[in-house]
Amino acid sequence: MRTKSTFAYALATGISLLAFTSATAHAADAEPAAAPAAADGQSGLTDIVVTAERRDVSLQQAPLSVSAITNDTLKAGNITDITGLNGTVPGLVIAKSGGGERVISIRGIGSETPENTNTQPGVSYHIDGVYIFNSIAASAAFIDVAQVEVLRGPQGTLFGQGSTGGTINVVSIEPSTDALKGNVSAGIGNYNYMEGSGALNVPLTDTLAVRGAFQYTKHDGYAHATAVTGVKSYDLDDQDETGWRLGAKWQPLSNLSVTLNTIQFNSNTNGPAQKNILDPNPDARELTQDYPGRSKVKTQLYTGVVKWDTSFATIKSITGYQKLHSEQAWDADGLDAATFFAQTYNPVSYTGVSYDHVPLWQADTKSWSQELNLTSNGNGPFQWVLGGVYLHSKNSQYINEYRAADLDNILSPALPEDTAWNDPLVGNLTYAELSEIKRELYAFFAQGTYALTDSLKLTAGVRYNHDKSSGMYDSMSGGASSQTSGAYLQPSSTGSRSDHAWTGKVALDYQFTPSNMLYASWTRGFKPGGINSASASGGSYSILPSYKQETVDSFEIGSKNRFLDDTLQLNASAFLYNYKNMQFLEEDPILYGEGISNAPKARVYGLELESSYAPTTHLRFDASLSWLEGEFTSHYLALDPTNATNAQNAAGYPDYLFWTNFYNAVLARDAAREDIKGNRIPKLPRWQGNIAATWNGEVGPGKLTARAQLIYRGQYQYRLFNEGAVDTTPSYTQVNTMLKYEPEGTNTDVTLRVINLFDKNGINSRFSDPYGSAQVMDTYIPPRQVILSVGYKF
C-alpha cells in the first residue's frame, strides 16, 4: 500500500504540472515532419506530426487518442523493442507470454490466444504502415526509428488490418538528399552488456539517396536456471540480437518518389526466464529448472512505397513482403523433476501428475500485402482518404512435447518432421502437431472530413472487410500416431471459413480556439474469426470447428489543449466499449482438444490523461495517467485447464487412465466449468501511469541533460478466468534515470542510463500455461541496468 500511495502522491504532483512524456517528447533525431522547436531563450512545446489517419496531421489536431514516442524518449529509457513501451502510454500493456511471444493490449483489448499463431491480434502492429502478421515478430528491435505512434481504440477504417484494440505504427527515418550525415554509438554496462548502433545517409545524386543503419545488443542472462545437467548456471533472459536496415529513396520528379526498404533481424538466445510460482527458491532471478531452453527468431521485411502527388490527390502504393522463422523451446513445467514432485505430490489425491518440456515450437510465416490509397490535396472544406488493401499469409507450426510421471524422465530432443510413424521415439511424445493455415484478406475503405464551419468538423468513414482462412492440420497425443505408413504426422484439410464485416467511424470535433479542441466519436472495430484445427479434425468435444469474429463499439469523448503560450499541454479522453465475442483460449473436456471460444459480451470504460509542462527552456515535466474498468456482462461457462485437470484427477482419471475411462473422464472435466459473468477483463490495470522531469542547460564547456522517470503499472488479471493467485499479476513501480553530456563543438555525447534504479523485481506478467502441466509462471522486468555509451554525429 505504501508503494501505491507514494506513486499516487508523485503522480498528483506531476498532473498538476501537466506533463506527458510520450506524446510530446523532443524529436531532435526524429527527422519526420515536426514543427520547429521553440526559439532560443523562449519556453514552449513543439508539435509532433503523426500519420494517425493516413495523412500528416499535428498530434494536437487529430480527433482521436494517439501518442507518439520519439527517438530521444526511446533512447532515454533504453527501449530497444516493443516490450519496453510498458508504462509510457496510457492503457498500453505488453505482457510476455510463452516463448518469444508478446501480448499487446490497449484498454484491455489485445489477444487472449497468443499460443495460436493463426489468430489475429486485437492490437495491430505496423512498420511504416505495413502490417506485421505474427506477434513473435513484434519483439524485433526498433532500428533507425523516428517515432512510434500508438493509436488507442478500435481502428475500423483506414489501417491495413482492422483492429479492435488499437494500432501501433513504427515510423522509420527516410533517406534524404539534403546532406551526407550519420551517427554512431557504442555502450557497455553490467551483465556484460554491449550495444552498438549507427546510421549513414548518403545522397548519391540530387534525386537519389540511400540510408543504412545497424543495431547490435548483447548481454548475459538477467536470470539463470540452476538444475540443467552439466551446467552450473544456465543463462535465461539473455540477449544477442543483430538488426540492420537499408533504404533508398528516388525522387525523379518533384511530385513523384519511390522508397524501398528492408529490415533484417536475428535473435539467438536461451529464451525468457519463466519462474514457476511453486519454485521454492525465493530469488526471482534463480529458477529451479532442468531443461535448457532456447529462442531463435529471424525476421525479414521488404517494403516499397510509391508516392505520386497530383492536382486532386496524393496516390500512394504500399507493398510489403515478410518472412518469420521462430524456434522456441522451454521447460514447460518450470521445475526440475525432484522439485516438481515435491511441490505437487499429495499422498491422498496424487494420481500421476507429470512434468514436461517442449523441445520445439517452430513457427514460420510468409506473407505479402498490397495497399493503394488516395488522399485529397488542397485546403478546401472537404478532405478525404480512400483505398483498398490485400493481405495474404501462410502460417506453419510444428510442435513436439514430452511428459513423464516419474523421476526417470529423459529430456528428449525434437524429432524431424518426416519421422516414420513406427519409429519408437514417436511413442515418447506426449503431443505433436504439424499444421498450416492460410489467410487472405481484402478490404476497401473511405473516410472524409467536412468543415461544417470554421470551427466544427464532421468525420465519417466506412470499411468493408473480407477475411478467409483455410488450412491443413494433424496432431497426435499420448504417443499414439494415427498413421499406418509414412511420416507420423500427415496433415489433412481443415476446410475453410470466411468473415465479412462492415466497420466505420463517425466523429465531431470543435476547435474552440487554435489551441483548444473537443471531440466525440463512435468507432466499430473488427477482428476475424478462424478455424480450430483440433476440433475441425475431430479432436474436441465442446470446442467448435470455428470461432466467431469479435467486434467492439467504441464511444469516446476527448479534449486537446495548449495553454500559457504553448508551455502547458493537457489532453484528456473518456471512453466506453461494448465488446462482443471476445476470442480466448479455452480447455476442452477431451485431453489436448484445446481451442478458441468466444466470450459473448463485455464492457470496458475509463479515463486517460496526457500532459506536458515546459515553464522554461531548461525544464520540462511529463506525465500520463489511466484509470480503467471492465467486466464480462453475460453468462458463459468457461473451462479453465487447471480446473479441468484437478477435476479429472480428483475423479480418479489421470492422463494415463483418461482414454480407458473416456466417458467418465470427459464428464468430470466438463463439470469443472465456471461462469465468467462479472469477471474482470484481462490485461486491464485499474491504475497505470508515469511521471518524468527533464532539465538541460550549459555546464562547463558543454550541455548537460538530466532526466528522471517514475513508472507505475497496476495490478491486473492475466486471464479471463480470474483464478486468484494464478491470474493476478501484481503491480510494480520502476525508476529510470539518464545523464547526457555533449561537449561543445565536438558532435559527441556521453550518456549514462540507469534503468530500474532501485532494482525492483517487478512482475511483467503471470503466464498460466494452457498446455502441458498447466503451471503458472512469473516473468520479470529487467533488473537494474547501468549503461554508459558514447555517441558521435556528423
Side-chain angles (χ1 to χ4, degrees), residues 334-350:
L335 299 169
D336 65 0
T339 307
F340 181 84
F341 287 109
Q343 294 291 342
T344 58
Y345 176 74
N346 184 310
V348 176
S349 62
Y350 178 71

Side-chain angles (χ1 to χ4, degrees), residues 48 370 459 475 541 576 705 750:
I48 288 182
Q370 176 61 54
T459 298
S475 70
Y541 172 74
L576 169 67
T705 302
V750 179

Side-chain angles (χ1 to χ4, degrees), residues 235-534:
D235 272 9
L236 296 169
D237 273 348
D238 58 324
Q239 191 171 8
D240 188 356
E241 298 178 350
T242 304
W244 57 270
R245 178 186 187 92
L246 182 63
K249 184 174 183 179
W250 179 49
Q251 190 163 358
L253 303 172
S254 60
N255 64 341
L256 177 65
S257 66
V258 179
T259 305
L260 303 176
N261 273 295
T262 182
I263 296 176
Q264 307 285 320
F265 173 80
N266 288 276
S267 174
N268 192 349
T269 71
N270 291 343
Q274 299 177 154
K275 187 178 179 70
N276 194 321
I277 61 172
L278 300 177
D279 194 326
N281 189 331
D283 191 327
R285 309 293 177 179
E286 291 185 359
L287 287 67
T288 311
Q289 294 182 2
D290 57 5
Y291 183 73
R294 75 177 191 281
S295 175
K296 181 178 180 180
V297 176
K298 181 178 182 179
T299 61
Q300 300 169 271
L301 175 64
Y302 305 88
T303 62
V305 178
V306 179
K307 183 178 179 182
W308 180 28
D309 291 318
T310 70
S311 58
F312 75 98
T314 296
I315 304 171
K316 183 181 288 187
S317 167
I318 305 173
T319 306
Y321 175 73
Q322 54 195 285
K323 293 175 66 177
L324 165 75
H325 176 74
S326 168
E327 296 177 15
Q328 307 292 321
W330 66 92
D331 191 324
D333 62 81
L335 299 169
D336 65 0
T339 307
F340 181 84
F341 287 109
Q343 294 291 342
T344 58
Y345 176 74
N346 184 310
V348 176
S349 62
Y350 178 71
T351 49
V353 294
S354 57
Y355 75 110
D356 65 271
H357 70 284
V358 177
L360 182 63
W361 189 311
Q362 180 174 306
D364 289 278
T365 299
K366 294 182 180 180
S367 55
W368 70 274
S369 59
Q370 176 61 54
E371 178 177 340
L372 184 67
N373 64 62
L374 289 80
T375 305
S376 61
N377 284 332
N379 299 313
F382 183 56
Q383 302 292 317
W384 51 266
V385 179
L386 61 88
V389 62
Y390 176 78
L391 308 176
H392 179 278
S393 68
K394 182 174 71 174
N395 305 282
S396 304
Q397 285 193 145
Y398 179 54
I399 304 170
N400 274 190
E401 179 183 4
Y402 295 95
R403 302 178 73 181
D406 54 47
L407 299 180
D408 296 325
N409 174 58
I410 299 174
L411 299 178
S412 307
L415 302 180
E417 290 183 23
D418 59 355
T419 300
W421 70 276
N422 58 353
D423 191 308
L425 294 177
V426 172
N428 294 339
L429 287 166
T430 295
Y431 180 76
E433 176 186 321
L434 184 61
S435 63
E436 178 181 286
I437 297 293
K438 294 181 180 179
R439 284 190 67 234
E440 285 186 291
L441 175 147
Y442 62 81
F444 303 99
F445 56 85
Q447 181 169 300
T449 299
Y450 184 73
L452 300 173
T453 70
D454 290 342
S455 302
L456 182 64
K457 294 180 181 178
L458 171 66
T459 298
V462 66
R463 174 186 174 110
Y464 172 73
N465 306 269
H466 174 87
D467 190 282
K468 180 181 179 181
S469 56
S470 60
M472 305 285 288
Y473 174 88
D474 190 23
S475 70
M476 57 149 286
S477 58
S481 173
S482 62
Q483 308 304 325
T484 57
S485 63
Y488 79 109
L489 292 176
Q490 299 177 28
S492 58
S493 175
T494 61
S496 63
R497 173 190 167 86
S498 296
D499 274 318
H500 311 267
W502 288 92
T503 56
K505 174 179 180 176
V506 177
L508 279 171
D509 65 271
Y510 185 74
Q511 201 79 37
F512 290 93
T513 74
S515 300
N516 304 94
M517 184 255 282
L518 178 69
Y519 69 88
S521 67
W522 164 83
T523 309
R524 169 165 290 181
F526 154 82
K527 185 165 76 171
I531 296 170
N532 276 317
S533 300

Side-chain angles (χ1 to χ4, degrees), residues 529-722:
I531 296 170
N532 276 317
S533 300
S535 178
S537 300
S540 298
Y541 172 74
S542 63
I543 300 295
L544 300 176
S546 62
Y547 51 92
K548 301 176 184 177
Q549 65 186 42
E550 67 178 39
T551 59
V552 59
D553 287 303
S554 167
F555 303 90
E556 181 172 324
I557 59 172
S559 181
K560 298 188 174 184
N561 304 277
R562 287 278 182 88
F563 304 104
L564 304 178
D565 295 327
D566 282 345
T567 64
L568 178 63
Q569 178 170 300
L570 174 62
N571 297 339
S573 60
F575 69 92
L576 169 67
Y577 288 171
N578 289 324
Y579 199 6
K580 293 182 180 180
N581 294 322
M582 175 189 283
Q583 297 166 10
F584 73 99
L585 200 63
E586 186 177 15
E587 185 74 358
D588 190 82
I590 295 179
L591 277 181
Y592 314 115
E594 300 92 346
I596 297 171
S597 297
N598 296 94
K601 292 181 181 180
R603 181 177 295 117
V604 186
Y605 55 94
L607 300 171
E608 297 170 342
L609 294 174
E610 308 173 318
S611 54
S612 292
Y613 181 48
T616 73
T617 56
H618 302 294
L619 186 61
R620 178 189 179 97
F621 299 92
D622 303 307
S624 70
L625 174 67
S626 62
W627 170 77
L628 305 172
E629 294 288 346
E631 67 177 17
F632 293 95
T633 56
S634 62
H635 295 285
Y636 182 87
L637 296 176
L639 185 58
D640 172 32
T642 301
N643 291 344
T645 300
N646 291 341
Q648 169 192 341
N649 290 341
Y653 308 115
D655 289 5
Y656 63 91
L657 294 177
F658 179 88
W659 304 104
T660 60
N661 299 272
F662 180 79
Y663 180 74
N664 290 331
V666 168
L667 288 181
R669 288 168 60 87
D670 196 51
R673 294 181 179 276
E674 293 185 357
D675 194 349
I676 64 170
K677 184 178 180 181
N679 283 8
R680 188 171 178 84
I681 298 292
K683 320 298 188 306
L684 190 72
R686 180 169 282 113
W687 295 99
Q688 179 169 285
N690 86 96
I691 180 171
T694 304
W695 180 89
N696 67 79
E698 300 297 324
V699 175
K703 178 182 176 182
L704 176 69
T705 302
R707 184 175 188 267
Q709 179 188 34
L710 170 69
I711 294 173
Y712 177 79
R713 208 284 327 276
Q715 171 183 296
Y716 67 80
Q717 296 293 320
Y718 188 83
R719 303 178 306 162
L720 56 74
F721 300 104
N722 287 196

